[in-house]
Amino acid sequence: MPFELNQNTNWRLNFYLIFSGQFMSGLTTMIVQYAFMWYITDVLKSATALSLSTLMMFLPWIFLAPVAGVVIDRWSKKAIIISMTIGQFAGGALLTLLLVAMLTRAITQVFQQPTLNTIVPAIVPEAQLTKANGQIQTLQSLTAIIAPGLSAVLFGIMPMQWIILLDVIGAVFGSLTVLLAYVPQTLPQAEDVSFFHNMRLGVRELMQHRGIFQYSVLSLITIMFIMPGASLYPLMTTQHFGGTIGQAGIVETVWSVGSLLGGLFISIWGAGKNRFVAIFSSLVVMGATFSIFGLLPSNQRGFWIFAGLNIFAGFGLAFMNSPFMAIVQERIKPEMMGRVMSVLMALTNIGAPIGLMFAGPLADQFGIAQLFILAGVATLITAGVALLLPAVRQIDKK
């Protein structure tokens, strides 16, 4: 066993202590991240520049995620989370090199997010995993609700340097809560093998769970088409609908409200007896809403329909993520969790850079609306394929 669990530990106390700190740290980080986005949207006004900045957030997942999994399974999880939290602030301080700043912050996420995902099954009882992931989704949605509007307001009244200083507060609070919480320690591995061997073990373990692996490939395809449109939300508002930066913030907030409602629903009632139904339904909802986005008229009436429908897209996103993450945490052996989680995230995030490489130039050439139609249709096709694959259809059956 890689963890020496303390049976007397109050898991709820540890869970809420850790993730309340991550909520504050994530909020300040996202405020700065949106400030970068508003700067690119307001000053550069280029779909290519906006896509490139988003690309910087995903490249580390391809090259570093498998290595991160090996580190997570071997090193202190407290040390990883605290150092990566501080690293996010350091990355934000590189204001003069905007793309470098976004790349640095993305590198910290490659190590931090899988580490948090491996801690959850180590401190939460298996019967509570789906609801616990729903609560995490709720906290992330709250962050996403507050950050866009607050960031837009701060962007209009103060220089970027002052906004970045908010990360200091978040980094300190997030580090302290992890430091105070009980996190099961990683025990030494029985054998000292190479990083590449450990990565192969992670890939092998993932492929033994056929439904999880096949759905990961489908997620890659979905993200490859969805992410380009999602990265261009601000320009969809300002260029296609003729809106403002404030309205772009409204759209991001509405999306996050939908995700919050989905997370709350899962945290209270779960995702049903067969979680595949929830996952499949979320793909259908996402595909339908994105298809409609691209067909809306390019005026203010179209914008408000666009903003309103995003509550359904956000709701669908919660049901696409939380149930699947709970299934993974239940199926994968604890001693392989870090490696599998990182390989899984690398696999699902490969699609984003592929799509983003073409998104900016295509949007500048043909228009942003066409990207949304393409994303919606592709997601609906992916949902159909998921329904036809027996292993994916039975992903919730042990």
Side-chain angles (χ1 to χ4, degrees), residues 272-287:
K273 293 182 178 180
N274 186 350
R275 286 171 289 189
F276 169 75
V277 175
I279 295 171
F280 172 76
S281 300
S282 70
L283 289 172
V284 173
V285 170
M286 293 281 288

Side-chain angles (χ1 to χ4, degrees), residues 32-194:
V32 175
Q33 200 73 40
Y34 271 109
F36 288 158
M37 188 184 298
W38 303 146
Y39 177 84
I40 294 171
T41 303
D42 188 51
V43 177
L44 301 180
K45 298 181 174 65
S46 168
T48 299
L50 197 57
S51 296
L52 185 60
S53 67
T54 308
L55 180 62
M56 292 299 102
M57 297 164 57
F58 286 94
L59 283 178
W61 285 102
I62 299 176
F63 300 107
L64 292 180
V67 175
V70 179
V71 172
I72 291 166
D73 281 335
R74 287 175 171 266
W75 293 3
S76 166
K77 291 174 173 54
K78 276 192 177 185
I80 294 172
I81 294 175
I82 292 172
S83 59
M84 292 303 109
T85 301
I86 295 172
Q88 287 179 8
F89 160 69
L94 298 172
L95 177 60
T96 54
L97 299 171
L98 186 59
L99 293 180
V100 175
M102 302 186 84
L103 179 63
T104 303
R105 295 160 75 85
I107 290 173
T108 65
Q109 283 293 307
V110 173
F111 289 86
Q112 186 181 38
Q113 193 58 53
T115 304
L116 290 169
N117 287 336
T118 61
I119 287 176
V120 174
I123 64 175
V124 176
E126 182 176 320
Q128 299 294 324
L129 278 176
T130 299
K131 291 184 178 181
N133 279 283
Q135 292 170 6
I136 295 172
Q137 177 72 51
T138 300
L139 289 175
Q140 292 172 343
S141 300
L142 278 173
T143 301
I145 288 170
I146 299 170
L150 183 56
S151 179
V153 171
L154 295 175
F155 181 76
I157 64 176
M158 65 175 60
M160 280 287 293
Q161 289 85 345
W162 288 102
I163 299 176
I164 290 173
L165 285 178
L166 290 173
D167 249 359
V168 178
I169 301 172
V172 170
F173 189 79
S175 299
L176 283 177
T177 54
V178 172
L179 195 61
L180 293 172
Y182 170 76
V183 177
Q185 292 297 312
T186 303
L187 299 179
Q189 299 290 319
E191 54 179 334
D192 187 15
V193 295
S194 68

